Coordinates of all heavy atoms in Angstrom, one line a residue:
V225 N 7.2 2.1 0.3 CA 6.2 1.4 1.1 C 4.8 2.1 0.8 O 3.8 1.5 0.6 CB 6.5 1.3 2.6 CG1 5.4 0.8 3.4 CG2 7.7 0.5 2.8
L226 N 4.9 3.5 0.9 CA 3.6 4.2 0.7 C 3.0 3.9 -0.7 O 1.8 3.7 -0.8 CB 3.9 5.7 0.8 CG 2.7 6.7 0.6 CD1 1.6 6.4 1.6 CD2 3.2 8.1 0.7
M227 N 3.9 3.9 -1.7 CA 3.4 3.7 -3.1 C 2.7 2.3 -3.2 O 1.6 2.2 -3.8 CB 4.5 3.7 -4.1 CG 5.2 5.1 -4.2 SD 4.1 6.4 -4.7 CE 3.6 5.8 -6.3
E228 N 3.3 1.3 -2.6 CA 2.7 0.0 -2.6 C 1.3 0.0 -1.9 O 0.4 -0.7 -2.4 CB 3.6 -1.0 -1.9 CG 4.9 -1.3 -2.7 CD 5.8 -2.2 -1.9 OE1 5.3 -3.2 -1.2 OE2 7.0 -2.0 -1.9
R229 N 1.2 0.6 -0.8 CA 0.0 0.7 0.0 C -1.1 1.4 -0.8 O -2.3 0.9 -0.9 CB 0.2 1.4 1.3 CG 1.1 0.6 2.2 CD 1.3 1.2 3.5 NE 0.3 0.7 4.4 CZ 0.2 1.0 5.7 NH1 1.0 1.9 6.2 NH2 -0.7 0.5 6.5
I230 N -0.8 2.5 -1.5 CA -1.8 3.2 -2.3 C -2.2 2.3 -3.5 O -3.4 2.2 -3.8 CB -1.2 4.5 -2.8 CG1 -1.0 5.5 -1.6 CG2 -2.1 5.2 -3.8 CD1 -0.2 6.8 -1.9
R231 N -1.2 1.7 -4.2 CA -1.5 0.9 -5.3 C -2.4 -0.3 -4.9 O -3.4 -0.6 -5.6 CB -0.2 0.4 -6.0 CG -0.5 -0.2 -7.3 CD 0.8 -0.5 -8.1 NE 1.4 0.7 -8.5 CZ 2.5 1.2 -8.0 NH1 3.1 0.7 -7.0 NH2 3.0 2.3 -8.5
N232 N -2.1 -0.9 -3.8 CA -2.8 -2.1 -3.3 C -4.3 -1.7 -2.9 O -5.2 -2.4 -3.2 CB -2.2 -2.8 -2.1 CG -0.9 -3.5 -2.6 OD1 -0.8 -3.9 -3.7 ND2 0.0 -3.7 -1.6
Y233 N -4.4 -0.5 -2.3 CA -5.7 0.0 -2.0 C -6.6 0.1 -3.2 O -7.8 -0.3 -3.2 CB -5.6 1.3 -1.3 CG -7.0 1.9 -1.0 CD1 -7.7 1.6 0.2 CD2 -7.5 2.9 -1.8 CE1 -8.9 2.1 0.4 CE2 -8.8 3.4 -1.6 CZ -9.5 3.0 -0.4 OH -10.7 3.6 -0.2
Y234 N -6.1 0.7 -4.3 CA -6.9 0.9 -5.5 C -7.0 -0.3 -6.3 O -7.8 -0.3 -7.3 CB -6.3 2.1 -6.3 CG -6.7 3.4 -5.6 CD1 -5.7 4.3 -5.1 CD2 -8.0 3.8 -5.4 CE1 -6.0 5.4 -4.5 CE2 -8.3 5.0 -4.8 CZ -7.3 5.8 -4.3 OH -7.6 7.0 -3.7
K235 N -6.3 -1.4 -6.1 CA -6.6 -2.6 -6.7 C -7.9 -3.2 -6.3 O -8.6 -3.9 -7.1 CB -5.5 -3.7 -6.4 CG -4.2 -3.4 -7.2 CD -3.2 -4.5 -6.8 CE -1.9 -4.3 -7.5 NZ -0.9 -5.3 -7.1
E236 N -8.3 -2.9 -5.1 CA -9.6 -3.4 -4.5 C -10.7 -2.4 -4.4 O -11.8 -2.7 -4.0 CB -9.3 -4.0 -3.2 CG -8.3 -5.2 -3.2 CD -8.0 -5.8 -1.9 OE1 -8.7 -5.5 -0.9 OE2 -7.0 -6.5 -1.8
N237 N -10.4 -1.2 -4.8 CA -11.4 -0.1 -4.6 C -11.5 0.7 -6.0 O -10.6 0.6 -6.8 CB -11.1 0.9 -3.5 CG -11.1 0.1 -2.2 OD1 -12.2 -0.1 -1.6 ND2 -9.9 -0.2 -1.6
D238 N -12.5 1.5 -6.1 CA -12.6 2.3 -7.3 C -11.5 3.3 -7.4 O -11.0 3.9 -6.4 CB -14.0 3.1 -7.3 CG -15.2 2.2 -7.4 OD1 -15.0 1.1 -8.0 OD2 -16.2 2.7 -7.0
K239 N -11.0 3.5 -8.6 CA -9.9 4.4 -8.8 C -10.4 5.8 -8.8 O -11.5 6.1 -9.3 CB -9.2 4.1 -10.1 CG -8.5 2.8 -10.0 CD -7.7 2.4 -11.3 CE -7.0 1.1 -11.1 NZ -6.3 0.7 -12.2
P240 N -9.7 6.8 -8.3 CA -10.1 8.2 -8.3 C -10.0 8.9 -9.6 O -9.2 8.4 -10.5 CB -9.2 8.8 -7.3 CG -7.9 8.1 -7.4 CD -8.4 6.7 -7.7
H241 N -10.8 9.9 -9.8 CA -10.7 10.7 -11.0 C -9.4 11.6 -11.0 O -8.8 11.9 -12.0 CB -11.9 11.6 -11.2 CG -11.8 12.5 -12.4 ND1 -11.8 12.1 -13.7 CD2 -11.6 13.9 -12.4 CE1 -11.6 13.2 -14.5 NE2 -11.5 14.3 -13.7
A242 N -9.1 12.0 -9.7 CA -7.9 12.9 -9.5 C -7.3 12.5 -8.2 O -7.9 11.8 -7.4 CB -8.4 14.3 -9.5
L243 N -6.0 12.9 -8.1 CA -5.3 12.5 -6.9 C -4.5 13.8 -6.5 O -3.9 14.5 -7.3 CB -4.3 11.4 -7.2 CG -3.5 10.8 -6.0 CD1 -4.4 10.1 -5.0 CD2 -2.6 9.7 -6.6
E244 N -4.5 14.1 -5.2 CA -3.8 15.2 -4.6 C -2.8 14.7 -3.6 O -3.2 14.0 -2.6 CB -4.7 16.2 -4.0 CG -4.0 17.4 -3.5 CD -5.0 18.5 -3.0 OE1 -5.8 18.2 -2.1 OE2 -5.0 19.6 -3.5
I245 N -1.5 15.0 -3.8 CA -0.5 14.7 -2.8 C -0.1 16.0 -2.1 O 0.2 17.0 -2.7 CB 0.7 14.1 -3.5 CG1 0.4 12.8 -4.2 CG2 1.9 13.8 -2.5 CD1 1.4 12.3 -5.2
V246 N -0.2 15.9 -0.7 CA 0.1 17.1 0.1 C 1.2 16.8 1.1 O 1.1 15.8 1.8 CB -1.1 17.6 0.8 CG1 -0.8 18.9 1.6 CG2 -2.3 17.9 -0.2
T247 N 2.3 17.6 1.1 CA 3.3 17.5 2.1 C 3.3 18.7 2.9 O 2.9 19.8 2.5 CB 4.7 17.3 1.5 OG1 5.1 18.4 0.7 CG2 4.7 16.1 0.6
T248 N 3.6 18.6 4.2 CA 3.7 19.8 5.1 C 4.7 19.6 6.2 O 5.1 18.4 6.5 CB 2.3 20.0 5.7 OG1 2.3 21.3 6.4 CG2 1.8 18.9 6.6
G249 N 5.2 20.7 6.7 CA 6.2 20.5 7.8 C 6.6 21.9 8.4 O 6.3 22.9 7.8
H250 N 7.2 21.9 9.5 CA 7.7 23.1 10.1 C 9.2 22.9 10.4 O 9.7 21.8 10.8 CB 7.0 23.3 11.5 CG 7.5 24.4 12.3 ND1 8.5 24.2 13.2 CD2 7.3 25.7 12.2 CE1 8.8 25.4 13.8 NE2 8.1 26.3 13.2
S251 N 10.0 23.9 10.2 CA 11.4 23.9 10.4 C 12.1 22.8 9.6 O 11.9 22.8 8.4 CB 11.7 23.8 11.9 OG 13.1 24.0 12.2
L252 N 12.8 21.9 10.2 CA 13.5 20.9 9.4 C 12.5 20.0 8.7 O 12.7 19.6 7.6 CB 14.4 20.0 10.4 CG 15.2 18.9 9.7 CD1 16.1 19.5 8.6 CD2 16.0 18.2 10.7
G253 N 11.3 19.8 9.3 CA 10.3 19.0 8.7 C 9.8 19.7 7.4 O 9.3 19.1 6.4
A254 N 9.9 21.1 7.4 CA 9.5 21.8 6.2 C 10.4 21.6 5.1 O 10.0 21.4 3.9 CB 9.4 23.3 6.5
G255 N 11.7 21.5 5.4 CA 12.7 21.2 4.4 C 12.5 19.8 3.8 O 12.6 19.6 2.6
L256 N 12.2 18.9 4.6 CA 11.9 17.5 4.2 C 10.6 17.5 3.4 O 10.5 16.8 2.4 CB 11.8 16.6 5.4 CG 13.1 16.3 6.1 CD1 12.8 15.5 7.4 CD2 14.1 15.7 5.3
A257 N 9.6 18.3 3.8 CA 8.3 18.3 3.0 C 8.6 18.9 1.6 O 8.0 18.4 0.6 CB 7.3 19.2 3.7
E258 N 9.4 19.9 1.5 CA 9.8 20.4 0.1 C 10.5 19.4 -0.7 O 10.2 19.2 -1.9 CB 10.6 21.7 0.3 CG 9.9 22.8 0.8 CD 10.8 24.0 1.1 OE1 12.0 23.9 0.9 OE2 10.3 25.1 1.5
L259 N 11.4 18.7 -0.1 CA 12.1 17.6 -0.9 C 11.2 16.5 -1.3 O 11.3 15.9 -2.4 CB 13.3 17.1 -0.1 CG 14.5 18.1 0.1 CD1 15.5 17.5 1.0 CD2 15.1 18.5 -1.2
A260 N 10.3 16.1 -0.4 CA 9.3 15.1 -0.7 C 8.4 15.5 -1.8 O 8.1 14.7 -2.7 CB 8.5 14.7 0.6
A261 N 7.9 16.7 -1.8 CA 7.1 17.2 -2.8 C 7.8 17.2 -4.2 O 7.2 16.7 -5.2 CB 6.6 18.6 -2.5
Y262 N 9.0 17.6 -4.2 CA 9.8 17.6 -5.4 C 10.0 16.1 -5.9 O 9.9 15.8 -7.1 CB 11.2 18.2 -5.2 CG 12.1 18.2 -6.4 CD1 11.9 19.0 -7.5 CD2 13.2 17.3 -6.4 CE1 12.7 18.9 -8.6 CE2 14.0 17.2 -7.5 CZ 13.8 18.0 -8.6 OH 14.6 18.0 -9.7
Y263 N 10.3 15.2 -5.0 CA 10.5 13.8 -5.3 C 9.2 13.2 -6.0 O 9.3 12.6 -7.0 CB 10.9 13.0 -4.1 CG 11.0 11.5 -4.3 CD1 12.1 11.0 -5.0 CD2 10.0 10.7 -3.9 CE1 12.2 9.6 -5.2 CE2 10.1 9.3 -4.1 CZ 11.2 8.8 -4.8 OH 11.3 7.5 -5.0
Y264 N 8.1 13.5 -5.3 CA 6.8 12.9 -5.9 C 6.5 13.5 -7.2 O 6.1 12.9 -8.1 CB 5.7 13.1 -4.9 CG 5.7 12.1 -3.8 CD1 5.9 12.5 -2.5 CD2 5.5 10.8 -4.1 CE1 5.9 11.6 -1.5 CE2 5.5 9.8 -3.1 CZ 5.7 10.2 -1.8 OH 5.7 9.3 -0.8
K265 N 6.7 14.8 -7.4 CA 6.4 15.5 -8.6 C 7.3 15.1 -9.8 O 6.9 14.9 -10.9 CB 6.5 17.0 -8.4 CG 6.2 17.9 -9.6 CD 4.7 18.1 -9.7 CE 4.4 19.1 -10.8 NZ 3.1 19.5 -10.8
T266 N 8.6 14.8 -9.5 CA 9.5 14.6 -10.6 C 9.8 13.1 -10.8 O 10.2 12.7 -11.9 CB 10.9 15.3 -10.4 OG1 11.5 14.8 -9.1 CG2 10.7 16.8 -10.3
K267 N 9.7 12.3 -9.7 CA 10.1 10.9 -9.8 C 8.9 9.9 -9.7 O 9.0 8.8 -10.3 CB 11.1 10.5 -8.8 CG 12.3 11.4 -8.8 CD 13.2 11.2 -10.0 CE 14.4 12.0 -9.9 NZ 15.1 12.1 -11.1
Q268 N 7.9 10.2 -9.0 CA 6.9 9.2 -8.6 C 5.6 9.4 -9.4 O 4.8 8.5 -9.3 CB 6.6 9.3 -7.1 CG 7.7 8.8 -6.3 CD 7.9 7.3 -6.5 OE1 7.0 6.5 -6.4 NE2 9.1 6.9 -6.7
L269 N 5.4 10.5 -10.2 CA 4.1 10.6 -10.8 C 3.8 9.5 -11.8 O 2.7 9.0 -11.9 CB 4.0 11.9 -11.6 CG 3.8 13.2 -10.8 CD1 3.6 14.4 -11.7 CD2 2.6 13.0 -9.8
K270 N 4.8 9.0 -12.5 CA 4.5 7.9 -13.4 C 4.2 6.6 -12.6 O 3.5 5.7 -13.2 CB 5.7 7.7 -14.4 CG 7.0 7.6 -13.8 CD 8.1 7.7 -14.9 CE 9.4 7.9 -14.3 NZ 10.2 8.9 -14.4
E271 N 4.6 6.5 -11.4 CA 4.2 5.3 -10.6 C 2.7 5.3 -10.3 O 2.2 4.2 -10.0 CB 5.0 5.3 -9.2 CG 6.5 5.2 -9.4 CD 6.9 3.8 -9.9 OE1 6.2 2.8 -9.5 OE2 7.8 3.7 -10.7
F272 N 2.1 6.4 -10.3 CA 0.6 6.5 -10.1 C -0.2 6.4 -11.4 O -1.4 6.3 -11.4 CB 0.3 7.9 -9.5 CG 0.7 8.1 -8.1 CD1 1.7 8.9 -7.7 CD2 0.0 7.4 -7.1 CE1 2.0 9.1 -6.4 CE2 0.4 7.5 -5.8 CZ 1.4 8.4 -5.4
S273 N 0.5 6.2 -12.6 CA -0.2 6.3 -13.8 C -1.2 5.1 -14.0 O -2.1 5.2 -14.8 CB 0.8 6.3 -15.0 OG 1.6 5.1 -15.0
D274 N -1.0 4.0 -13.3 CA -1.9 2.9 -13.4 C -3.2 3.2 -12.5 O -4.1 2.5 -12.6 CB -1.3 1.6 -13.0 CG -0.7 1.6 -11.6 OD1 -0.3 2.6 -11.1 OD2 -0.6 0.5 -11.0
I275 N -3.1 4.2 -11.7 CA -4.2 4.6 -10.8 C -5.0 5.7 -11.4 O -6.2 5.7 -11.5 CB -3.7 4.9 -9.4 CG1 -3.0 3.7 -8.7 CG2 -4.8 5.5 -8.5 CD1 -2.3 4.1 -7.5
V276 N -4.3 6.8 -11.8 CA -4.9 8.0 -12.4 C -3.9 8.6 -13.3 O -2.7 8.5 -13.2 CB -5.3 8.9 -11.2 CG1 -4.1 9.4 -10.5 CG2 -6.2 10.1 -11.7
S277 N -4.5 9.3 -14.3 CA -3.6 10.0 -15.3 C -2.7 11.0 -14.6 O -3.2 11.8 -13.8 CB -4.5 10.7 -16.3 OG -3.8 11.6 -17.1
P278 N -1.5 11.1 -15.0 CA -0.6 12.1 -14.4 C -1.1 13.5 -14.5 O -0.8 14.4 -13.7 CB 0.8 11.9 -15.1 CG 0.7 10.5 -15.5 CD -0.7 10.2 -15.8
S279 N -1.9 13.8 -15.5 CA -2.4 15.2 -15.7 C -3.5 15.5 -14.7 O -3.9 16.6 -14.5 CB -2.9 15.4 -17.1 OG -4.0 14.5 -17.3
H280 N -3.9 14.5 -13.9 CA -5.0 14.7 -12.9 C -4.4 14.5 -11.5 O -5.1 14.2 -10.6 CB -6.1 13.7 -13.1 CG -6.9 14.0 -14.3 ND1 -6.9 13.2 -15.4 CD2 -7.8 15.0 -14.6 CE1 -7.7 13.7 -16.3 NE2 -8.2 14.8 -15.8
I281 N -3.1 14.6 -11.4 CA -2.4 14.5 -10.1 C -1.8 15.9 -9.8 O -1.1 16.5 -10.6 CB -1.3 13.5 -10.1 CG1 -1.8 12.1 -10.5 CG2 -0.6 13.5 -8.8 CD1 -0.8 11.1 -10.7
S282 N -2.1 16.4 -8.6 CA -1.5 17.6 -8.1 C -0.6 17.3 -6.9 O -0.9 16.5 -6.1 CB -2.5 18.7 -7.8 OG -3.3 18.3 -6.6
V283 N 0.5 18.0 -6.8 CA 1.4 17.9 -5.7 C 1.5 19.3 -5.0 O 1.9 20.3 -5.7 CB 2.8 17.4 -6.1 CG1 3.7 17.3 -4.9 CG2 2.7 16.1 -6.8
K284 N 1.1 19.4 -3.8 CA 1.2 20.7 -3.0 C 2.0 20.5 -1.8 O 2.1 19.4 -1.2 CB -0.2 21.1 -2.7 CG -1.1 21.4 -3.8 CD -2.5 21.8 -3.4 CE -3.4 22.0 -4.6 NZ -4.7 22.4 -4.2
T285 N 2.6 21.6 -1.4 CA 3.4 21.6 -0.1 C 3.1 22.8 0.7 O 3.0 23.9 0.1 CB 4.9 21.4 -0.4 OG1 5.5 21.2 0.9 CG2 5.5 22.5 -1.1
Y286 N 2.9 22.7 2.0 CA 2.7 23.8 2.9 C 3.8 23.7 3.9 O 3.9 22.7 4.6 CB 1.3 23.7 3.5 CG 0.2 23.8 2.5 CD1 -0.4 22.6 2.0 CD2 -0.3 25.0 2.0 CE1 -1.4 22.6 1.1 CE2 -1.3 25.0 1.1 CZ -1.9 23.8 0.6 OH -2.9 23.9 -0.3
T287 N 4.6 24.7 4.0 CA 5.7 24.7 4.9 C 5.7 26.0 5.8 O 5.2 27.0 5.4 CB 7.0 24.6 4.2 OG1 7.2 25.7 3.3 CG2 7.1 23.3 3.4
F288 N 6.3 25.9 6.9 CA 6.5 27.0 7.9 C 7.9 27.0 8.4 O 8.4 26.0 8.9 CB 5.5 26.8 9.1 CG 4.1 26.6 8.6 CD1 3.6 25.3 8.4 CD2 3.3 27.6 8.4 CE1 2.3 25.1 8.0 CE2 2.0 27.5 7.9 CZ 1.5 26.2 7.7
A289 N 8.6 28.1 8.2 CA 9.9 28.3 8.7 C 10.9 27.3 8.2 O 11.7 26.7 8.9 CB 9.9 28.3 10.3
A290 N 10.8 27.1 6.9 CA 11.7 26.1 6.2 C 13.1 26.7 6.1 O 13.3 27.9 5.7 CB 11.2 25.8 4.8
P291 N 14.1 25.9 6.5 CA 15.5 26.4 6.3 C 16.0 26.3 4.9 O 15.3 25.6 4.1 CB 16.3 25.4 7.2 CG 15.5 24.1 7.1 CD 14.1 24.6 7.0
A292 N 17.0 27.0 4.5 CA 17.6 26.8 3.2 C 18.2 25.4 3.1 O 19.1 25.1 3.9 CB 18.7 27.9 3.0
I293 N 17.8 24.6 2.2 CA 18.2 23.2 2.2 C 19.0 22.9 0.9 O 19.6 21.8 0.9 CB 17.0 22.3 2.2 CG1 16.0 22.6 1.1 CG2 16.4 22.3 3.6 CD1 14.9 21.6 1.0
V294 N 19.1 23.8 -0.1 CA 19.8 23.6 -1.3 C 20.5 24.8 -1.8 O 20.2 25.9 -1.3 CB 18.9 23.0 -2.4 CG1 18.3 21.6 -2.1 CG2 17.7 24.0 -2.7
D295 N 21.4 24.7 -2.7 CA 22.0 25.9 -3.3 C 21.0 26.6 -4.3 O 19.9 26.1 -4.5 CB 23.3 25.6 -4.0 CG 23.1 24.6 -5.2 OD1 22.0 24.4 -5.6 OD2 24.1 24.0 -5.6
E296 N 21.4 27.8 -4.8 CA 20.6 28.6 -5.6 C 20.1 27.9 -6.9 O 18.9 28.0 -7.2 CB 21.3 29.9 -6.0 CG 20.4 30.9 -6.6 CD 19.3 31.4 -5.7 OE1 19.5 31.5 -4.5 OE2 18.2 31.8 -6.2
S297 N 21.0 27.2 -7.6 CA 20.5 26.5 -8.8 C 19.5 25.4 -8.5 O 18.6 25.2 -9.3 CB 21.7 26.0 -9.6 OG 22.4 25.0 -8.9
S298 N 19.8 24.7 -7.5 CA 18.8 23.6 -7.1 C 17.5 24.2 -6.7 O 16.5 23.6 -6.9 CB 19.4 22.7 -6.0 OG 20.6 22.1 -6.4
K299 N 17.6 25.3 -6.0 CA 16.3 26.0 -5.6 C 15.5 26.3 -6.8 O 14.3 26.1 -6.8 CB 16.7 27.2 -4.8 CG 15.5 28.1 -4.4 CD 15.9 29.4 -3.7 CE 14.8 30.4 -3.7 NZ 15.2 31.7 -3.9
E300 N 16.1 26.9 -7.8 CA 15.4 27.2 -9.0 C 14.8 26.0 -9.7 O 13.6 26.0 -10.2 CB 16.3 28.0 -10.0 CG 16.6 29.4 -9.5 CD 17.7 30.1 -10.3 OE1 18.0 29.6 -11.4 OE2 18.2 31.1 -9.9
T301 N 15.5 24.9 -9.7 CA 15.0 23.7 -10.3 C 13.8 23.2 -9.5 O 12.8 22.8 -10.1 CB 16.1 22.6 -10.3 OG1 17.2 23.0 -11.0 CG2 15.6 21.3 -10.8
I302 N 13.9 23.2 -8.2 CA 12.7 22.7 -7.4 C 11.5 23.6 -7.6 O 10.4 23.2 -7.7 CB 13.1 22.6 -5.9 CG1 14.1 21.5 -5.7 CG2 11.9 22.4 -5.0 CD1 14.8 21.4 -4.4
E303 N 11.7 24.9 -7.5 CA 10.7 25.9 -7.7 C 10.0 25.7 -9.1 O 8.8 25.8 -9.2 CB 11.1 27.3 -7.5 CG 11.4 27.7 -6.1 CD 12.0 29.1 -5.9 OE1 12.4 29.7 -6.9 OE2 12.1 29.5 -4.7
T304 N 10.8 25.5 -10.1 CA 10.2 25.3 -11.4 C 9.3 24.0 -11.5 O 8.2 24.0 -12.0 CB 11.3 25.2 -12.5 OG1 12.1 26.4 -12.5 CG2 10.8 24.9 -13.9
A305 N 9.8 23.0 -10.9 CA 9.1 21.7 -10.9 C 7.8 21.8 -10.1 O 6.8 21.2 -10.5 CB 10.0 20.6 -10.3
L306 N 7.8 22.5 -9.0 CA 6.6 22.6 -8.1 C 5.7 23.7 -8.5 O 4.5 23.7 -8.1 CB 7.1 22.7 -6.6 CG 7.8 21.6 -6.0 CD1 8.2 21.9 -4.6 CD2 7.0 20.3 -6.1
G307 N 6.2 24.6 -9.3 CA 5.3 25.7 -9.8 C 5.2 26.8 -8.9 O 4.8 27.1 -7.9

């Protein structure tokens, strides 16, 4: 739903030069924010390509007191993808 709303907005308005996606959360919300950031970075960037070049999209996450949500190998995968 979010992607559709963003895409529809830019159909009628000037497209941005750059796009920043920010997720944030505390405790369990922090775990969800990390997963959301990973999802946007690895799965959804190409969905924005009709709006802005993927090289001009940044995905950031700010979390507080995030629980361990994945195993060690998955953690490394997520950290590599998010930088």
Side-chain angles (χ1 to χ4, degrees):
V225 174
L226 177 61
M227 297 299 299
E228 290 176 39
R229 294 179 94 178
I230 293 171
R231 192 172 288 107
N232 288 337
Y233 175 83
Y234 286 115
K235 283 182 183 177
E236 299 179 14
N237 296 284
D238 292 337
K239 294 182 180 178
H241 174 69
L243 186 63
E244 182 176 59
I245 299 168
V246 179
T247 64
T248 187
H250 174 267
S251 191
L252 183 55
L256 294 173
E258 290 175 357
L259 291 175
Y262 177 74
Y263 175 74
Y264 281 113
K265 182 82 172 191
T266 61
K267 306 292 183 194
Q268 291 293 311
L269 283 188
K270 48 190 170 249
E271 294 293 324
F272 287 111
S273 64
D274 58 332
I275 297 170
V276 64
S277 168
S279 63
H280 290 108
I281 300 173
S282 67
V283 179
K284 297 179 180 179
T285 187
Y286 299 97
T287 60
F288 307 92
I293 54 172
V294 294
D295 62 14
E296 190 64 32
S297 64
S298 296
K299 175 185 164 217
E300 290 173 9
T301 300
I302 291 171
E303 287 177 349
T304 299
L306 295 179

